[in-house]
Structures are given as C-alpha cells and as structure tokens.
Amino acid sequence: MGSALVLNQSYEPLCVIPVKRAAVLLLTRKAETVTPGDGFLRSETMHIPIPSVVRLKRYVPIPRQVGSSPSRRGVFARDDWRCVYCNAAAETIDHVVPRSRGGTHTWDNVVAACAPCNHRKSDKSLAEMGWRLPRAPRPPSGWQLRGFRGQRRPDPAWEAWLPRHGRERARLS
C-alpha cells in the first residue's frame, strides 16, 4: 500500500511509516495531512485521501545520539546509497585511509562506494589515486539513520521535507 513520511510539529522529518498507520494517526486526530498521495482509503462510511506526508499535532522530542561505530546501512543512508567517488549505486563500503595503513573504522573514515571504485582504489590513499572527496565524511544525522528503515529511495513527494545534505554530488576525476 505504500509509506508516508511523518513530520514533527516543527516540520522536521521523524520517520517513515506504513500508510495504514498514517491513516490511524489522521483518524485519531494526532496528525494532519501535509501532502496527499494518489488515491483514497475507503470504508463503508468514509473515504480519506491516501497521505504521503503527515505532520504530528504535538511535538515529539528526538534523541540526537548517533552510535560511535558505523554500520553499513548507516553509511549507505548518509551517502544516499551512491558511490562517493563516481556517483554510481553503492554496493560496498570503503575506508578512506585503508585499515592496512592505520585507518580506523569510524564515521569520518568510512564511505559508500561501488564495487569497481572500491576495487580500483584497493589499499591506496586518495592522493595516490588522484581522487578527492566531495565533502569530508562525518556521522550521519539522526534522520538519515531512522528515516528509511526498509527503503532505499525516498518518495519524490517527500523531497521538499527532507534535509538537503547529500543530495548534490560532484564527480571526482
């Protein structure tokens, strides 16, 4: 049936939930529709537009803690499931400073990469390859970690509500 983006009262993205759960939030008046989706949810006595983006009527505090050790899913979400070197679909993670040369497995040293770029880079440094990163790796935002649990790509209707970080990519030469 699809998913809906949930915004906090402050319009900050919180999470992605099934449309059925979003409809329950609307029917219990805990949320309001910000952007309707395609079609309707129908019952014998009513029909409501399928919600694509809903906003909670009460503010929900968000814990801002990010784990110290990066996960594959967290790295892919932070880098928008794109290779930081060529902007192709990411399949692997790469250590910017290779572990064989003393690199650590931390958020500031791990990036998403496609298999060909990861293989081509191997255990070389970026300077040896003549590559550079479009931006320094850093821990992901809380939204990036909790936003797309099972999904890889956001619904285009959500773009206006999602943080812009990581959307523009530059090809490295």
Side-chain angles (χ1 to χ4, degrees), residues 3-35:
S3 300
L5 174 66
V6 178
L7 303 175
N8 212 341
Q9 185 183 27
S10 61
Y11 290 94
E12 178 182 16
L14 279 178
C15 61
V16 177
I17 61 174
V19 166
K20 199 176 209 182
R21 174 70 180 128
V24 170
L25 290 173
L26 294 172
L27 292 172
T28 58
R29 296 189 177 9
K30 293 180 181 179
E32 61 188 8
T33 301
V34 176
T35 305

mmCIF file of all heavy atoms in Angstrom, residues 3-35:
data_model
loop_
_atom_site.group_PDB
_atom_site.id
_atom_site.type_symbol
_atom_site.label_atom_id
_atom_site.label_comp_id
_atom_site.label_asym_id
_atom_site.label_seq_id
_atom_site.Cartn_x
_atom_site.Cartn_y
_atom_site.Cartn_z
ATOM 1 N N SER A 3 4.108 3.949 1.809
ATOM 2 C CA SER A 3 4.616 4.532 3.038
ATOM 3 C C SER A 3 4.305 6.014 3.079
ATOM 4 O O SER A 3 4.048 6.636 2.048
ATOM 5 C CB SER A 3 6.126 4.341 3.125
ATOM 6 O OG SER A 3 6.449 2.984 3.112
ATOM 7 N N ALA A 4 4.356 6.571 4.283
ATOM 8 C CA ALA A 4 4.135 8.001 4.475
ATOM 9 C C ALA A 4 5.258 8.561 5.332
ATOM 10 O O ALA A 4 5.751 7.901 6.248
ATOM 11 C CB ALA A 4 2.791 8.248 5.141
ATOM 12 N N LEU A 5 5.670 9.767 5.026
ATOM 13 C CA LEU A 5 6.677 10.471 5.800
ATOM 14 C C LEU A 5 5.977 11.166 6.957
ATOM 15 O O LEU A 5 4.946 11.820 6.764
ATOM 16 C CB LEU A 5 7.381 11.499 4.912
ATOM 17 C CG LEU A 5 8.381 12.432 5.583
ATOM 18 C CD1 LEU A 5 9.580 11.643 6.103
ATOM 19 C CD2 LEU A 5 8.831 13.493 4.601
ATOM 20 N N VAL A 6 6.537 11.034 8.159
ATOM 21 C CA VAL A 6 5.976 11.694 9.339
ATOM 22 C C VAL A 6 6.872 12.861 9.705
ATOM 23 O O VAL A 6 8.087 12.704 9.864
ATOM 24 C CB VAL A 6 5.862 10.728 10.531
ATOM 25 C CG1 VAL A 6 5.316 11.453 11.757
ATOM 26 C CG2 VAL A 6 4.978 9.554 10.187
ATOM 27 N N LEU A 7 6.266 14.047 9.834
ATOM 28 C CA LEU A 7 6.981 15.244 10.248
ATOM 29 C C LEU A 7 6.601 15.571 11.688
ATOM 30 O O LEU A 7 5.453 15.365 12.093
ATOM 31 C CB LEU A 7 6.606 16.434 9.359
ATOM 32 C CG LEU A 7 6.823 16.287 7.865
ATOM 33 C CD1 LEU A 7 6.293 17.514 7.134
ATOM 34 C CD2 LEU A 7 8.290 16.071 7.555
ATOM 35 N N ASN A 8 7.557 16.084 12.435
ATOM 36 C CA ASN A 8 7.266 16.555 13.777
ATOM 37 C C ASN A 8 6.426 17.824 13.666
ATOM 38 O O ASN A 8 6.253 18.369 12.566
ATOM 39 C CB ASN A 8 8.577 16.844 14.518
ATOM 40 C CG ASN A 8 8.484 16.593 16.001
ATOM 41 O OD1 ASN A 8 7.400 16.536 16.574
ATOM 42 N ND2 ASN A 8 9.628 16.433 16.624
ATOM 43 N N GLN A 9 5.943 18.330 14.779
ATOM 44 C CA GLN A 9 5.151 19.559 14.752
ATOM 45 C C GLN A 9 5.967 20.707 14.158
ATOM 46 O O GLN A 9 5.418 21.609 13.543
ATOM 47 C CB GLN A 9 4.684 19.908 16.167
ATOM 48 C CG GLN A 9 3.753 21.090 16.202
ATOM 49 C CD GLN A 9 3.355 21.469 17.616
ATOM 50 O OE1 GLN A 9 4.082 21.224 18.564
ATOM 51 N NE2 GLN A 9 2.185 22.060 17.747
ATOM 52 N N SER A 10 7.286 20.641 14.301
ATOM 53 C CA SER A 10 8.183 21.676 13.787
ATOM 54 C C SER A 10 8.561 21.450 12.317
ATOM 55 O O SER A 10 9.470 22.090 11.816
ATOM 56 C CB SER A 10 9.455 21.711 14.637
ATOM 57 O OG SER A 10 10.117 20.469 14.556
ATOM 58 N N TYR A 11 7.898 20.503 11.647
ATOM 59 C CA TYR A 11 8.137 20.145 10.246
ATOM 60 C C TYR A 11 9.477 19.447 10.034
ATOM 61 O O TYR A 11 9.966 19.373 8.919
ATOM 62 C CB TYR A 11 8.022 21.360 9.310
ATOM 63 C CG TYR A 11 6.605 21.849 9.164
ATOM 64 C CD1 TYR A 11 6.126 22.863 9.976
ATOM 65 C CD2 TYR A 11 5.742 21.282 8.239
ATOM 66 C CE1 TYR A 11 4.811 23.307 9.867
ATOM 67 C CE2 TYR A 11 4.428 21.720 8.106
ATOM 68 C CZ TYR A 11 3.971 22.736 8.935
ATOM 69 O OH TYR A 11 2.687 23.156 8.814
ATOM 70 N N GLU A 12 10.085 18.930 11.073
ATOM 71 C CA GLU A 12 11.316 18.160 10.957
ATOM 72 C C GLU A 12 10.954 16.706 10.673
ATOM 73 O O GLU A 12 10.069 16.152 11.322
ATOM 74 C CB GLU A 12 12.091 18.246 12.277
ATOM 75 C CG GLU A 12 13.353 17.451 12.295
ATOM 76 C CD GLU A 12 14.051 17.523 13.640
ATOM 77 O OE1 GLU A 12 13.431 17.923 14.628
ATOM 78 O OE2 GLU A 12 15.225 17.156 13.680
ATOM 79 N N PRO A 13 11.596 16.061 9.696
ATOM 80 C CA PRO A 13 11.249 14.668 9.402
ATOM 81 C C PRO A 13 11.578 13.759 10.589
ATOM 82 O O PRO A 13 12.651 13.869 11.179
ATOM 83 C CB PRO A 13 12.085 14.309 8.188
ATOM 84 C CG PRO A 13 13.059 15.403 8.017
ATOM 85 C CD PRO A 13 12.626 16.568 8.813
ATOM 86 N N LEU A 14 10.628 12.882 10.922
ATOM 87 C CA LEU A 14 10.806 11.949 12.034
ATOM 88 C C LEU A 14 11.081 10.534 11.570
ATOM 89 O O LEU A 14 12.047 9.921 11.964
ATOM 90 C CB LEU A 14 9.551 11.920 12.917
ATOM 91 C CG LEU A 14 9.379 13.023 13.927
ATOM 92 C CD1 LEU A 14 8.063 12.845 14.671
ATOM 93 C CD2 LEU A 14 10.527 13.047 14.898
ATOM 94 N N CYS A 15 10.181 10.002 10.738
ATOM 95 C CA CYS A 15 10.312 8.611 10.322
ATOM 96 C C CYS A 15 9.402 8.342 9.129
ATOM 97 O O CYS A 15 8.650 9.203 8.703
ATOM 98 C CB CYS A 15 9.972 7.665 11.472
ATOM 99 S SG CYS A 15 8.285 7.832 12.075
ATOM 100 N N VAL A 16 9.492 7.138 8.634
ATOM 101 C CA VAL A 16 8.636 6.671 7.554
ATOM 102 C C VAL A 16 7.789 5.539 8.127
ATOM 103 O O VAL A 16 8.310 4.638 8.780
ATOM 104 C CB VAL A 16 9.484 6.165 6.370
ATOM 105 C CG1 VAL A 16 8.607 5.601 5.271
ATOM 106 C CG2 VAL A 16 10.349 7.293 5.833
ATOM 107 N N ILE A 17 6.486 5.609 7.902
ATOM 108 C CA ILE A 17 5.568 4.599 8.435
ATOM 109 C C ILE A 17 4.655 4.095 7.322
ATOM 110 O O ILE A 17 4.504 4.761 6.291
ATOM 111 C CB ILE A 17 4.717 5.158 9.605
ATOM 112 C CG1 ILE A 17 3.855 6.340 9.149
ATOM 113 C CG2 ILE A 17 5.600 5.540 10.789
ATOM 114 C CD1 ILE A 17 2.885 6.849 10.186
ATOM 115 N N PRO A 18 4.023 2.931 7.524
ATOM 116 C CA PRO A 18 3.061 2.460 6.527
ATOM 117 C C PRO A 18 1.864 3.413 6.425
ATOM 118 O O PRO A 18 1.489 4.067 7.407
ATOM 119 C CB PRO A 18 2.614 1.101 7.074
ATOM 120 C CG PRO A 18 3.673 0.689 8.047
ATOM 121 C CD PRO A 18 4.241 1.958 8.590
ATOM 122 N N VAL A 19 1.269 3.482 5.254
ATOM 123 C CA VAL A 19 0.116 4.353 5.026
ATOM 124 C C VAL A 19 -1.015 4.016 6.001
ATOM 125 O O VAL A 19 -1.705 4.907 6.494
ATOM 126 C CB VAL A 19 -0.367 4.246 3.558
ATOM 127 C CG1 VAL A 19 -1.730 4.862 3.376
ATOM 128 C CG2 VAL A 19 0.634 4.913 2.640
ATOM 129 N N LYS A 20 -1.172 2.745 6.309
ATOM 130 C CA LYS A 20 -2.226 2.327 7.243
ATOM 131 C C LYS A 20 -2.043 2.991 8.615
ATOM 132 O O LYS A 20 -2.988 3.486 9.210
ATOM 133 C CB LYS A 20 -2.183 0.805 7.380
ATOM 134 C CG LYS A 20 -3.418 0.176 7.905
ATOM 135 C CD LYS A 20 -3.226 -1.339 7.873
ATOM 136 C CE LYS A 20 -4.530 -2.032 7.702
ATOM 137 N NZ LYS A 20 -4.380 -3.488 7.707
ATOM 138 N N ARG A 21 -0.796 3.041 9.102
ATOM 139 C CA ARG A 21 -0.516 3.685 10.396
ATOM 140 C C ARG A 21 -0.733 5.186 10.279
ATOM 141 O O ARG A 21 -1.239 5.830 11.208
ATOM 142 C CB ARG A 21 0.914 3.370 10.824
ATOM 143 C CG ARG A 21 1.364 4.085 12.076
ATOM 144 C CD ARG A 21 0.661 3.557 13.318
ATOM 145 N NE ARG A 21 1.125 4.270 14.485
ATOM 146 C CZ ARG A 21 0.332 4.855 15.366
ATOM 147 N NH1 ARG A 21 -0.974 4.788 15.251
ATOM 148 N NH2 ARG A 21 0.836 5.508 16.388
ATOM 149 N N ALA A 22 -0.377 5.792 9.163
ATOM 150 C CA ALA A 22 -0.598 7.226 8.957
ATOM 151 C C ALA A 22 -2.091 7.533 8.977
ATOM 152 O O ALA A 22 -2.516 8.547 9.545
ATOM 153 C CB ALA A 22 0.023 7.678 7.641
ATOM 154 N N ALA A 23 -2.897 6.658 8.394
ATOM 155 C CA ALA A 23 -4.348 6.858 8.397
ATOM 156 C C ALA A 23 -4.892 6.807 9.819
ATOM 157 O O ALA A 23 -5.783 7.595 10.181
ATOM 158 C CB ALA A 23 -5.030 5.805 7.530
ATOM 159 N N VAL A 24 -4.361 5.915 10.647
ATOM 160 C CA VAL A 24 -4.795 5.843 12.047
ATOM 161 C C VAL A 24 -4.455 7.143 12.770
ATOM 162 O O VAL A 24 -5.274 7.666 13.542
ATOM 163 C CB VAL A 24 -4.158 4.626 12.760
ATOM 164 C CG1 VAL A 24 -4.397 4.674 14.255
ATOM 165 C CG2 VAL A 24 -4.692 3.327 12.172
ATOM 166 N N LEU A 25 -3.261 7.703 12.512
ATOM 167 C CA LEU A 25 -2.893 8.985 13.119
ATOM 168 C C LEU A 25 -3.851 10.097 12.689
ATOM 169 O O LEU A 25 -4.216 10.958 13.499
ATOM 170 C CB LEU A 25 -1.453 9.359 12.750
ATOM 171 C CG LEU A 25 -0.342 8.529 13.375
ATOM 172 C CD1 LEU A 25 1.013 8.914 12.786
ATOM 173 C CD2 LEU A 25 -0.324 8.690 14.889
ATOM 174 N N LEU A 26 -4.265 10.064 11.437
ATOM 175 C CA LEU A 26 -5.209 11.070 10.949
ATOM 176 C C LEU A 26 -6.594 10.895 11.576
ATOM 177 O O LEU A 26 -7.215 11.872 12.009
ATOM 178 C CB LEU A 26 -5.318 11.002 9.423
ATOM 179 C CG LEU A 26 -4.066 11.382 8.640
ATOM 180 C CD1 LEU A 26 -4.258 11.074 7.160
ATOM 181 C CD2 LEU A 26 -3.712 12.839 8.852
ATOM 182 N N LEU A 27 -7.057 9.666 11.626
ATOM 183 C CA LEU A 27 -8.394 9.392 12.165
ATOM 184 C C LEU A 27 -8.490 9.684 13.660
ATOM 185 O O LEU A 27 -9.557 10.055 14.153
ATOM 186 C CB LEU A 27 -8.802 7.953 11.870
ATOM 187 C CG LEU A 27 -9.054 7.643 10.395
ATOM 188 C CD1 LEU A 27 -9.256 6.150 10.185
ATOM 189 C CD2 LEU A 27 -10.251 8.433 9.880
ATOM 190 N N THR A 28 -7.406 9.511 14.394
ATOM 191 C CA THR A 28 -7.393 9.814 15.834
ATOM 192 C C THR A 28 -7.018 11.270 16.084
ATOM 193 O O THR A 28 -6.823 11.667 17.235
ATOM 194 C CB THR A 28 -6.416 8.884 16.585
ATOM 195 O OG1 THR A 28 -5.112 9.018 16.032
ATOM 196 C CG2 THR A 28 -6.880 7.439 16.516
ATOM 197 N N ARG A 29 -6.889 12.039 15.025
ATOM 198 C CA ARG A 29 -6.586 13.470 15.081
ATOM 199 C C ARG A 29 -5.258 13.774 15.780
ATOM 200 O O ARG A 29 -5.093 14.807 16.414
ATOM 201 C CB ARG A 29 -7.714 14.246 15.745
ATOM 202 C CG ARG A 29 -9.014 14.183 14.976
ATOM 203 C CD ARG A 29 -10.037 15.108 15.506
ATOM 204 N NE ARG A 29 -11.318 15.271 14.889
ATOM 205 C CZ ARG A 29 -11.905 14.607 13.933
ATOM 206 N NH1 ARG A 29 -11.310 13.639 13.348
ATOM 207 N NH2 ARG A 29 -13.119 14.894 13.498
ATOM 208 N N LYS A 30 -4.304 12.859 15.651
ATOM 209 C CA LYS A 30 -2.963 13.076 16.184
ATOM 210 C C LYS A 30 -2.053 13.688 15.135
ATOM 211 O O LYS A 30 -0.956 14.139 15.444
ATOM 212 C CB LYS A 30 -2.367 11.761 16.682
ATOM 213 C CG LYS A 30 -3.095 11.205 17.891
ATOM 214 C CD LYS A 30 -2.475 9.919 18.356
ATOM 215 C CE LYS A 30 -3.246 9.388 19.564
ATOM 216 N NZ LYS A 30 -2.688 8.120 20.036
ATOM 217 N N ALA A 31 -2.507 13.692 13.888
ATOM 218 C CA ALA A 31 -1.714 14.239 12.786
ATOM 219 C C ALA A 31 -2.644 14.857 11.758
ATOM 220 O O ALA A 31 -3.866 14.635 11.778
ATOM 221 C CB ALA A 31 -0.883 13.126 12.142
ATOM 222 N N GLU A 32 -2.047 15.634 10.869
ATOM 223 C CA GLU A 32 -2.785 16.231 9.761
ATOM 224 C C GLU A 32 -2.031 15.948 8.468
ATOM 225 O O GLU A 32 -0.812 15.805 8.468
ATOM 226 C CB GLU A 32 -2.952 17.731 9.974
ATOM 227 C CG GLU A 32 -1.633 18.484 10.046
ATOM 228 C CD GLU A 32 -1.779 19.937 10.454
ATOM 229 O OE1 GLU A 32 -2.880 20.350 10.836
ATOM 230 O OE2 GLU A 32 -0.772 20.658 10.363
ATOM 231 N N THR A 33 -2.767 15.875 7.374
ATOM 232 C CA THR A 33 -2.143 15.622 6.076
ATOM 233 C C THR A 33 -1.479 16.894 5.576
ATOM 234 O O THR A 33 -2.090 17.954 5.548
ATOM 235 C CB THR A 33 -3.189 15.148 5.047
ATOM 236 O OG1 THR A 33 -3.807 13.966 5.535
ATOM 237 C CG2 THR A 33 -2.554 14.873 3.711
ATOM 238 N N VAL A 34 -0.220 16.776 5.173
ATOM 239 C CA VAL A 34 0.509 17.898 4.593
ATOM 240 C C VAL A 34 0.514 17.745 3.078
ATOM 241 O O VAL A 34 0.260 18.705 2.354
ATOM 242 C CB VAL A 34 1.954 17.960 5.136
ATOM 243 C CG1 VAL A 34 2.747 19.054 4.462
ATOM 244 C CG2 VAL A 34 1.956 18.146 6.637
ATOM 245 N N THR A 35 0.801 16.545 2.606
ATOM 246 C CA THR A 35 0.799 16.254 1.177
ATOM 247 C C THR A 35 0.017 14.975 0.941
ATOM 248 O O THR A 35 0.395 13.922 1.445
ATOM 249 C CB THR A 35 2.237 16.063 0.654
ATOM 250 O OG1 THR A 35 3.018 17.209 0.995
ATOM 251 C CG2 THR A 35 2.263 15.853 -0.840
#
